[in-house]
C-alpha cells in the first residue's frame, strides 16, 4: 500500500469517527422529555433528597462549591453566617428584621454575590440574607438555600421523578412545554397566589383544599383549625416533625387517605396536622417534596404550573 492509499484510509476512518460522534445519543439517553429540554437549550442539573426530604444539589458561590437547597417556601435566598464567612462573602447590616429559617426573628443582614453559578449557568448579582450561626442550627451550615424570588426569577424547573433541575442560560421559561408534556401523558395544574406562597388546588378525600407549595417541607401538613372546621377526624400522635421550627409542635393524624391533583390520585395512610398559626383562611396546609416525588411531578416555576404524569415513575416512593 502506498502513502496515498494510507492517507486516504486514515481520512475515511476520521470521517467515520466524526459521523459516529455526531450521531451518538445525547446524555438524555432515550428519555423524550430530557431530550426536548436539551433541544431548547436547557441544562439539566442532578439533585437528591437529604434525610429531611429537601432538594439538595450543588452550586458555586465565590468559586466555592457548596450544597444548594431549593425552597419555594422561603421568600428570599439565605445562608448561615458561618457559611458566608467560609466562602468569603462580605456581610452588611440592614435596618430590617427578618424571620429566619427556623422561625426566629433576627436582625436582617445581607451579602451580595456576583459569582453564583450552577455548572455553566450563571445567576448574576444575587442578594443573600445571612442569619446567625448558633448551636442547634448547624443543620444549615455548608449550604445556600435558593428562595422563591430567585427560583421564579430564573424560571427554574424541578423534575421530582427524574431528580433533575433544569436551567436556561438566559433564565427563560420553556416554550410549548404544556403541549409537549400533554403528549407525554401529563396533566397541568395551575399555581395560584396563596398568601406568601404559591398554591395548588387539591381534593382531600373529595374535599376541596388549597395547599401552599413548599419545597423546603418534607411532606403534606394540614392546618389543625382547617381540619377541625371540616369535621375531619383527628387522632393524637406522639410523632415529632422534622422541621426545626416545628419540632415542639403537637402533631395529630388527620383521617385523609387520598390526595388528588389535576385528577391524579395519591393514596396516603393519613396526613399530619398541627396549628400553623397566622396563615390565610383559604390555605389548608402545605404540600412538600415527598408527595411531589410520589407523584413524579414537574414543577415549572417559569410559567407557574405543576405537571403530573398518568403513571408515576417506577422508582417513585410510596407516601
Amino acid at each position: 500500500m502506498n502513502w496515498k492509499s494510507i492517507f486516504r484510509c486514515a481520512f475515511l476512518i476520521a470521517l467515520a469517527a466524526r459521523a459516529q460522534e455526531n450521531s451518538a445519543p445525547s446524555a438524555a439517553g432515550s428519555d423524550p422529555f430530557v431530550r426536548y429540554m436539551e433541544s431548547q437549550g436547557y441544562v439539566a442539573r442532578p439533585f437528591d433528597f437529604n434525610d429531611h426530604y429537601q432538594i439538595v444539589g450543588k452550586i458555586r458561590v465565590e468559586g466555592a462549591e457548596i450544597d444548594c437547597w431549593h425552597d419555594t417556601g422561603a421568600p428570599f435566598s439565605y445562608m448561615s453566617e458561618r457559611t458566608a464567612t467560609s466562602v468569603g462573602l462580605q456581610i452588611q447590616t440592614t435596618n430590617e428584621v427578618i424571620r429566619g429559617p427556623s422561625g426566629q426573628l433576627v436582625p436582617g443582614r445581607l451579602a451580595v454575590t456576583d459569582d453564583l453559578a450552577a455548572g455553566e449557568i450563571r445567576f448574576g448579582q444575587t442578594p443573600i440574607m445571612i442569619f446567625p450561626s448558633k448551636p442547634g442550627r448547624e443543620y444549615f451550615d455548608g449550604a445556600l438555600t435558593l428562595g422563591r424570588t430567585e427560583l421564579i426569577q430564573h424560571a427554574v424547573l424541578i423534575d421530582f421523578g427524574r431528580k433533575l433541575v433544569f436551567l436556561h442560560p438566559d433564565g427563560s421559561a420553556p416554550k410549548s412545554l404544556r403541549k409537549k408534556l400533554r403528549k407525554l401523558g401529563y396533566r397541568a395544574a395551575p399555581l395560584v397566589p396563596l398568601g406568601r406562597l404559591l398554591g395548588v388546588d387539591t381534593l382531600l378525600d373529595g374535599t376541596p383544599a388549597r395547599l401552599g407549595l413548599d419545597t423546603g417541607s418534607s411532606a403534606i401538613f394540614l392546618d389543625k383549625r382547617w381540619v377541625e372546621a371540616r369535621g375531619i377526624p383527628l387522632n393524637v400522635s406522639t410523632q415529632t416533625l422534622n422541621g426545626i421550627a416545628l419540632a415542639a409542635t403537637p402533631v395529630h393524624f388527620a383521617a385523609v387517605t387520598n390526595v388528588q391533583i389535576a385528577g391524579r390520585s395519591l393514596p396516603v395512610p393519613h396526613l399530619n396536622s398541627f396549628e400553623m398559626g397566622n396563615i390565610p383562611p383559604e390555605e389548608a396546609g402545605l404540600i412538600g417534596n415527598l408527595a411531589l416525588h410520589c407523584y413524579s411531578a414537574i414543577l415549572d416555576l417559569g410559567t407557574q404550573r405543576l405537571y403530573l404524569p398518568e403513571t408515576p415513575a417506577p422508582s417513585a416512593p410510596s407516601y
Side-chain angles (χ1 to χ4, degrees):
M1 182 180 287
N2 60 30
W3 286 107
K4 260 185 200 178
S5 299
I6 293 172
F7 179 79
R8 187 179 295 112
C9 286
F11 180 70
L12 291 173
I13 290 170
L15 282 179
R18 176 70 61 85
Q20 183 176 4
E21 179 183 332
N22 290 339
S23 64
S26 123
S30 59
D31 190 313
F33 175 67
V34 180
R35 286 206 318 270
Y36 169 78
M37 293 297 287
E38 289 182 347
S39 74
Q40 301 297 306
Y42 288 83
V43 175
R45 300 280 299 169
F47 71 83
D48 212 334
F49 298 105
N50 64 13
D51 292 342
H52 299 274
Y53 234 91
Q54 289 159 321
I55 300 168
V56 183
K58 292 293 183 181
I59 201 163
R60 290 196 318 277
V61 185
E62 301 293 316
E65 186 175 73
I66 61 174
D67 286 343
C68 178
W69 300 357
H70 301 69
D71 187 356
T72 58
F76 46 76
S77 296
Y78 62 84
M79 66 169 53
S80 71
E81 180 181 8
R82 186 177 291 114
T83 307
T85 302
S86 72
V87 299
L89 289 176
Q90 299 297 312
I91 302 173
Q92 311 161 23
T93 301
T94 72
N95 295 323
E96 298 180 10
V97 175
I98 62 170
R99 189 169 297 278
S102 55
Q104 79 283 9
L105 292 174
V106 296
R109 295 189 300 161
L110 179 71
V112 179
T113 179
D114 293 311
D115 187 6
L116 184 66
E120 63 201 76
I121 304 296
R122 304 192 65 83
F123 286 81
Q125 190 175 84
T126 305
I128 302 171
M129 299 305 296
I130 309 297
F131 63 90
S133 296
K134 292 184 179 180
R137 297 183 193 153
E138 293 86 358
Y139 174 64
F140 293 100
D141 284 336
L144 165 69
T145 296
L146 280 179
R148 187 169 60 254
T149 299
E150 278 68 44
L151 294 173
I152 293 175
Q153 178 183 342
H154 296 282
V156 172
L157 185 144
I158 304 173
D159 188 329
F160 289 85
R162 296 172 180 86
K163 293 201 287 189
L164 293 172
V165 169
F166 290 91
L167 299 156
H168 197 280
D170 65 12
S172 61
K175 297 178 176 63
S176 305
L177 179 64
R178 187 174 185 179
K179 182 178 178 181
K180 177 65 177 179
L181 286 174
R182 188 186 299 122
K183 289 181 179 178
L184 295 175
Y186 285 76
R187 291 185 185 176
L191 303 182
V192 294
L194 184 61
R196 62 186 179 85
L197 298 173
L198 292 170
V200 62
D201 288 323
T202 72
L203 293 174
L204 305 181
D205 284 345
T207 300
R210 184 163 286 180
L211 299 177
L213 195 69
D214 185 358
T215 60
S217 177
S218 58
I220 298 175
F221 299 109
L222 300 181
D223 180 36
K224 184 169 175 281
R225 295 165 303 175
W226 184 92
V227 172
E228 291 172 333
R230 282 148 186 83
I232 298 173
L234 283 168
N235 294 313
V236 178
S237 158
T238 58
Q239 178 179 325
T240 58
L241 295 176
N242 290 332
I244 291 176
L246 308 174
T249 304
V251 180
H252 296 73
F253 290 151
V256 174
T257 59
N258 187 274
V259 180
Q260 190 177 107
I261 304 175
R264 307 298 198 209
S265 290
L266 175 66
V268 295
H270 58 258
L271 295 180
N272 290 336
S273 176
F274 60 91
E275 295 277 2
M276 287 193 172
N278 187 25
I279 64 172
E282 67 273 21
E283 183 176 344
L286 302 172
I287 181 168
N289 295 329
L290 174 57
L292 297 171
H293 190 198
C294 291
Y295 273 119
S296 297
I298 293 176
L299 173 59
D300 178 10
L301 290 164
T303 62
Q304 299 191 5
R305 290 191 181 97
L306 184 67
Y307 295 94
L308 298 103
E310 186 172 354
T311 305
S315 58
S318 298
Y319 195 90

